[in-house]
């Protein structure tokens, strides 16, 4: 058994990929992959969009929960309900050959980690398929839908998207989908081989000691990231307050602040990945601001 998370921006093609896999597996007795390990597996899909999306007026009457219409249920509560559905699918099928495909943006690592923890507690396989698509393509595809997310929302998600890079996300597959002419057969083959690996490597559950160690490591990592973010923000604040830039026009200040913000994001990721020391990142902000200031 395995849980496979399919993540990506709205319009990236993640839901298309999930639907493609479900349609293929429901019609075929033998997977396309050369391995026969997936033969006989049942496939279940949990689409968070279906659970968390607003309810149309025509269907609200049949979706009244606890005296409240679904549209009025807070978004976080809807997500908890979706997570509970996944957990129930896993717990009731532990002794069966089942693959649970979970489809959502999952742009924050903490969102994916919830499912990883459930998979580990239940000792089943876990993997992440990241469908990566450029923002321009996502916005264009989103605009063609009946219910759109919107350009601003997609750009905000892109700015905060945390790619699968943590140690517990090592079992991941990246699919770059910048074209509308994808090879469905190749996609299915690639994903089947990946899912095969997920089912073949179930996770081990946490011991009490491991849980404490895991929480401590997570707190340490989050604290380090927080301190890096604070240090970079403080450096930008000092640059903007410096006499050499304080006399800039409002437009020039806005351009400088925007550029520093974009650079900060890249530098923060480099520091978190261990590719750059914090003091080097701070110096790069200073150097960039000095050089950019000459051209403004």
């Amino acid at each position: 058994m395995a849980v496979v998370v399919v993540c990506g921006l709205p319009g990236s093609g993640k839901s298309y990929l999930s639907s493609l896999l479900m349609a293929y597996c429901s019609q075929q007795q033998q997977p396309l992959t050369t391995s026969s390990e997936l033969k006989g597996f049942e496939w279940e899909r949990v689409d968070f969009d279906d659970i968390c999306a607003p309810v149309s007026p025509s269907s609200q009457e049949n979706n009244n929960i606890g005296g409240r219409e679904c549209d009025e249920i807070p978004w976080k509560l809807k997500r908890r309900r979706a997570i509970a559905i996944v957990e129930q699918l896993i717990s009731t099928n532990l002794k069966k050959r089942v693959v649970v495909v979970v489809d959502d943006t999952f742009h924050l690592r903490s969102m994916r980690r919830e499912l990883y923890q459930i998979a580990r507690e239940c000792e089943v396989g876990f993997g992440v398929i990241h469908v990566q698509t450029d923002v321009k393509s996502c916005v264009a595809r989103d605009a063609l839908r009946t219910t759109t997310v919107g350009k601003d929302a997609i750009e905000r998600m892109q700015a905060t998207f945390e790619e699968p890079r943590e140690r517990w996300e090592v079992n991941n597959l990246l699919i770059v989908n910048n074209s509308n002419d994808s090879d469905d057969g190749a996609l299915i083959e690639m994903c089947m081989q990946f899912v095969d690996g997920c089912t073949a490597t179930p996770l081990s559950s946490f011991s009490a000691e491991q849980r404490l160690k895991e929480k401590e490591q997570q707190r340490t990592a989050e604290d380090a990231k927080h301190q890096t973010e604070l240090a970079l923000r403080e450096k930008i604040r000092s640059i903007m307050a410096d006499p050499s830039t304080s006399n800039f026009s409002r437009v020039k200040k806005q351009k400088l602040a925007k550029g520093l913000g974009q650079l900060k994001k890249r530098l923060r990721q480099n520091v978190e990945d261990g590719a750059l020391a914090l003091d080097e990142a701070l110096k790069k902000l200073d150097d960039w601001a000095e050089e950019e200031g000459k051209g403004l």
Side-chain angles (χ1 to χ4, degrees):
M1 184 175 187
V3 178
V4 178
V5 173
V6 183
C7 67
L9 295 175
S12 62
K14 63 185 182 306
S15 295
Y16 173 78
L17 176 62
S18 298
S19 299
L20 189 68
L21 289 174
M22 296 302 295
Y24 176 82
C25 293
S26 66
Q27 295 170 8
Q28 302 291 325
Q29 294 181 346
Q30 177 80 21
L32 197 63
T33 178
T34 54
S35 170
S36 62
E37 292 299 318
L38 289 176
K39 186 176 181 179
F41 268 74
E42 295 179 17
W43 289 65
E44 298 283 354
R45 179 187 177 193
V46 180
D47 186 346
F48 274 43
D49 285 345
D50 290 342
I51 300 169
C52 299
V55 181
S56 62
S58 60
S59 61
Q60 282 181 350
E61 185 176 346
N62 296 322
N63 287 278
N64 192 282
I65 300 178
R68 297 179 303 168
E69 293 175 341
C70 283
D71 274 352
E72 297 174 355
I73 299 176
W75 176 80
K76 287 186 178 181
L77 184 57
K78 291 182 181 181
R79 285 194 66 86
R80 291 309 313 162
R81 183 171 64 183
I83 291 290
I85 290 173
V86 176
E87 192 166 12
Q88 183 178 23
L89 274 173
I90 297 171
S91 61
T92 56
N93 290 287
L94 283 178
K95 298 185 182 298
K96 298 179 182 178
R97 295 160 65 83
V98 177
V99 174
V100 181
V101 177
V102 189
D103 170 11
D104 191 32
T105 55
F106 290 114
H107 58 293
L108 299 181
R109 196 168 289 121
S110 59
M111 294 176 173
R112 303 190 294 269
R113 189 175 180 82
E114 279 188 283
L115 296 173
Y116 164 78
Q117 290 173 328
I118 293 172
R120 186 163 182 179
E121 287 289 347
C122 295
E123 298 187 336
V124 301
F126 177 82
V128 178
I129 298 177
H130 176 199
V131 184
Q132 187 180 76
T133 307
D134 63 85
V135 174
K136 184 178 179 180
S137 296
C138 289
V139 172
R141 293 171 185 171
D142 178 65
L144 299 175
R145 297 173 173 174
T146 304
T147 303
T148 63
V149 175
K151 179 181 178 181
D152 291 344
I154 293 175
E155 290 180 343
R156 283 198 301 271
M157 286 187 189
Q158 170 62 21
T160 58
F161 199 102
E162 298 173 332
E163 297 182 1
R165 292 181 176 177
E166 293 295 321
R167 182 175 56 184
W168 53 271
E169 292 182 298
V170 65
N171 196 19
N172 69 77
L173 172 65
L174 174 64
I175 294 178
V176 179
N177 181 34
N178 291 328
S179 170
N180 290 324
D181 301 319
S182 60
D183 184 341
D184 290 352
L187 280 176
I188 291 172
E189 173 73 19
M190 190 186 311
C191 291
M192 285 298 185
Q193 291 183 1
F194 175 72
V195 175
D196 191 0
C198 294
T199 60
T201 53
L203 302 173
S204 299
S205 62
F206 293 96
S207 66
E209 184 178 346
Q210 285 175 321
R211 286 192 186 93
L212 289 174
K213 185 177 180 181
E214 186 82 13
K215 286 182 180 179
E216 183 59 34
Q217 289 175 340
Q218 187 177 358
R219 280 196 297 267
T220 301
E222 289 174 352
D223 184 60
K225 291 178 182 179
H226 183 60
Q227 294 303 320
T228 297
E229 176 69 18
L230 289 179
L232 293 172
R233 284 184 184 181
E234 177 59 25
K235 172 55 70 175
I236 291 178
R237 189 200 64 77
S238 65
I239 290 173
M240 296 303 297
D242 189 272
S244 62
T245 57
S246 60
N247 293 326
F248 282 3
S249 68
R250 181 181 177 184
V251 173
K252 288 183 177 180
K253 284 184 177 180
Q254 288 176 337
K255 288 183 178 179
L256 183 63
K258 182 178 180 180
L260 286 169
Q262 293 172 339
L263 178 59
K264 175 178 74 72
K265 180 186 175 183
R266 295 195 297 272
L267 294 175
R268 182 186 64 200
Q269 190 63 61
N270 288 338
V271 172
E272 291 177 4
D273 291 343
L276 195 67
L278 179 57
D279 58 346
E280 293 175 317
L282 296 175
K283 186 176 185 304
K284 283 184 178 293
L285 281 173
D286 270 330
D287 293 344
W288 185 89
E290 182 178 354
E291 187 63 29
E292 187 68 17
K294 294 177 182 178
L296 292 175

